[in-house]
Structures are given as C-alpha cells and as structure tokens.
Amino acid sequence: MAETARVQYVFMDVVGFTKDRSVEAQSDVVERLNSVVRQALKAQKVPPDHTVLLPTGDGIAIALIDVPGVDIHLRLALHILQLVAEHNSSATDAARRFEVRIGINENIDNVVEDINGRRNVAGAGISMAQRIMDKAD
C-alpha cells in the first residue's frame, strides 16, 4: 500500500541539450548538472533519506519528501540556478555551458516502490511540476 506525503518538486532539464553538442559534451553537461544538484542539496541541508532523484536524460526531477522548512524547493531551485551561472562563467568551451529551465510544485502525493524496488513518487504533483517546467523559457 502506498503512503502519502507532502512532496515538493524541482523538475529541470537542460535547454537545447543536443543543439551543437557532441555526445562527449552532452555527457559532460549531464555530469556537471548532477554535481550542481548534489552540491545544492548539500548546501540547503536536504536530508538524503527525504530525497528522491529521478534522472530524465537531460534533466532531473527532485522530490523532497516531508522536508521541513519554508519553500525549500524554491530555495533549492534558486541555488541550482546560481551554481549553473557560476559554472558557465568559468567554462571555456561553449558546448559545456548550459542553461536549465525549472518547474517547481508542491502536493500531497504517493510515495511508492518503483519497478526497481526503489522509493519513488507518483501523483499530480510531479506531473504538474513537469508541465510548469515545459512552460519555462
């Protein structure tokens, strides 16, 4: 049986991920985005056992499950944007600079076990976060 929880979402992807990027540069961008997200989660003191990270190919859906604090998903999104900007200011190769678009949302959603036996989330909250991200430019 699924449990329900207050879940805050940060759903992001890389703008123009494949445009003018080699496969190697795409891999480097994904690796850097992963590093940025891990760094931002640590800086915002988000407990790992309250976090589900879902890779989406050229992005990440972050689910923060019952994390205390006000607007942690908004603060996390802003921190990610700051770290991406810092990366871009020092990256010498244009193919390794990138922008992200982000959608945030909060909802009472289901915490479930996925096909791999891992903790996951399902419900309207994550779907809406993805739709909000799609509207970002």
Side-chain angles (χ1 to χ4, degrees):
M1 185 166 116
E3 68 176 278
T4 59
R6 175 179 157 260
V7 186
Q8 295 170 297
Y9 296 98
V10 178
F11 203 116
M12 74 191 81
D13 73 2
V14 175
V15 176
F17 180 66
T18 58
K19 185 174 174 33
D20 298 324
R21 277 196 186 96
S22 66
V23 173
E24 294 80 9
Q26 291 172 28
S27 293
D28 290 346
V29 167
V30 168
E31 184 178 314
R32 185 63 193 144
L33 179 60
N34 290 344
S35 175
V36 160
V37 167
R38 285 191 297 271
Q39 187 178 350
L41 286 164
K42 185 176 180 181
Q44 294 297 317
K45 297 180 171 73
V46 177
D49 59 332
H50 288 260
T51 307
V52 173
L53 302 173
L54 303 168
T56 63
D58 68 341
I60 303 168
I62 304 169
L64 307 172
I65 303 168
D66 287 329
V67 174
V70 177
D71 294 333
I72 185 66
H73 56 323
L74 179 58
R75 288 186 285 131
L76 181 63
L78 290 171
H79 198 125
I80 289 167
L81 291 172
Q82 175 189 354
L83 292 172
V84 168
E86 288 172 10
H87 161 76
N88 288 339
S89 69
S90 64
T92 56
D93 181 0
R96 274 128 176 114
R97 288 190 292 267
F98 63 97
E99 295 178 345
V100 293
R101 59 186 184 148
I102 296 178
I104 62 172
N105 194 34
E106 180 177 338
N107 200 48
I108 302 298
D109 274 346
N110 298 305
V111 179
V112 298
E113 184 176 298
D114 70 16
I115 189 70
N116 296 308
R118 296 185 185 121
R119 189 176 191 205
N120 205 334
V121 291
I126 193 166
S127 297
M128 184 57 72
Q130 189 266 332
R131 288 185 189 114
I132 292 167
M133 180 204 65
D134 282 345
K135 300 294 182 192
D137 57 3

